[in-house]
Amino acid sequence: MRASHNTPASLDPRLGGRSLRRVVFDEATIARRVSELGAQITDSYPDGDLLVVGLLKGSMIFVSDLVRAIRRPLQIDFVAAASYGAGTTSTGTVRLVYDPETRLDGRQILIVEDIVESGRTLSRLLEVIRTRGPRSLAVCALLHKRIATALQEPIRFVGFDAPSEFLVGYGLDHAEDYRHLPYIASI
Ligand code: IMP
Ligand code: MG
C-alpha cells in the first residue's frame, strides 16, 4: 500500500487502528528530496574520503536511502545519542550511548540527523567529534524545525523545514512506535 495525501492515513494497517493528525511529507516527496540531497552532497565532496555518520535510531531509514543517492565512494558508521524518553518534549540532557570506533582524524565527516529541534543533540555530538580532529565536519538533517538556539553554525544540508508539530515515520518515533511508516506524519 502506498500512502499519499489521498489515502486516509488511518486506513494504514501499520498504525494498528491509531490515527494520525495528517501526512506531512508523503513517500514520493521524500524520495525526490533525498535524491536532490544526494546530488548536492556528491557535488560538495569532489575528492577525498567521506564518512557518513548516522545518529541512531532516528536517522537509520534516511541514511540508508541517502547513501544510495550519493554517487562517490563513502563509508558508513553510526552513533547513538539519547535526548528524549517516551514523551514528546525535550529533557534537555543528551547522552551519547555509543561512540564510533572508526578513526575520525583527518577525515571528511558528514553527520546525518533525522530532525533538529533545539539543536542540543547535534551540538553535543559535534563537540565530541571535533575533539577527534576531522578534516571537515558537516551536518545533513532531513527535517529542521528552525527553532534551534543551541547550534553555533547553520546546518549545511537540510531536507525540509518542519512544522512545529510532533512528527513520526521514516525513522522518527513516538515512544519507539511509527518508525517504519514510509511517510512522515504528525500525531
Ligand atoms: P533536539 O536535540 O532538541 O534538536 O532534538 C533532536 C532529537 O529529538 C531528534 O534526533 C529526535 O530524536 C527527537 N525529536 C525532535 N523533534 C521530534 C519530532 O517531531 N518527532 C520525533 N522525534 C523528534
Ligand atoms: Mg527519537
Side-chain angles (χ1 to χ4, degrees), residues 121-144:
T121 311
L122 262 184
S123 56
R124 174 85 188 94
L125 178 68
L126 292 175
E127 217 173 86
V128 170
I129 289 188
R130 248 187 218 107
T131 64
R132 301 193 186 184
R135 178 175 140 204
S136 72
L137 185 56
V139 177
C140 175
L142 176 65
L143 297 154
H144 198 331

Side-chain angles (χ1 to χ4, degrees), residues 56-58 81-85 114-115 166 171-176 179:
L56 290 174
K57 297 174 217 173
S83 69
Y84 282 59
D114 55 355
I115 184 165
F166 196 81
L172 290 122
D173 74 303
H174 175 248
E176 296 302 328
R179 290 196 199 273

Side-chain angles (χ1 to χ4, degrees), residues 7-185:
T7 312
S10 57
L11 296 182
D12 189 334
R14 297 176 186 91
L15 301 171
R18 291 167 296 189
S19 59
L20 300 171
R21 190 165 298 165
R22 67 184 179 110
V23 173
V24 180
F25 301 106
D26 66 19
E27 268 185 270
T29 304
I30 296 170
R32 253 194 323 270
R33 189 64 191 125
V34 169
S35 150
E36 287 170 3
L37 283 172
Q40 200 185 333
I41 291 166
T42 306
D43 291 346
S44 301
Y45 294 93
D47 47 46
D49 66 344
L50 179 63
L51 177 65
V52 174
V53 180
L55 220 70
L56 290 174
K57 297 174 217 173
S59 76
M60 63 166 184
I61 291 174
F62 178 40
V63 166
S64 68
D65 284 342
L66 182 67
V67 291
R68 285 177 288 180
I70 300 174
R71 296 175 174 270
R72 60 144 16 253
L74 60 77
Q75 296 182 342
I76 304 169
D77 206 341
F78 288 97
V79 64
S83 69
Y84 282 59
T88 56
T89 52
S90 178
T91 58
T93 47
V94 175
R95 214 160 36 93
L96 287 178
V97 291
Y98 170 71
D99 270 0
E101 287 172 5
T102 322
R103 288 192 58 174
L104 303 180
D105 54 293
R107 308 192 65 182
Q108 304 189 98
I109 296 172
L110 179 65
I111 305 288
V112 179
E113 166 74 305
D114 55 355
I115 184 165
V116 179
E117 192 168 44
S118 73
R120 271 188 219 105
T121 311
L122 262 184
S123 56
R124 174 85 188 94
L125 178 68
L126 292 175
E127 217 173 86
V128 170
I129 289 188
R130 248 187 218 107
T131 64
R132 301 193 186 184
R135 178 175 140 204
S136 72
L137 185 56
V139 177
C140 175
L142 176 65
L143 297 154
H144 198 331
K145 287 193 175 169
R146 303 285 182 196
I147 54 169
T149 49
L151 280 177
Q152 322 257 342
E153 308 150 44
I155 294 180
R156 179 135 176 226
F157 308 98
V158 176
F160 303 103
D161 285 356
S164 47
E165 296 168 71
F166 196 81
L167 303 177
V168 297
Y170 199 70
L172 290 122
D173 74 303
H174 175 248
E176 296 302 328
D177 286 330
Y178 306 112
R179 290 196 199 273
H180 66 314
L181 305 182
Y183 46 84
I184 295 168

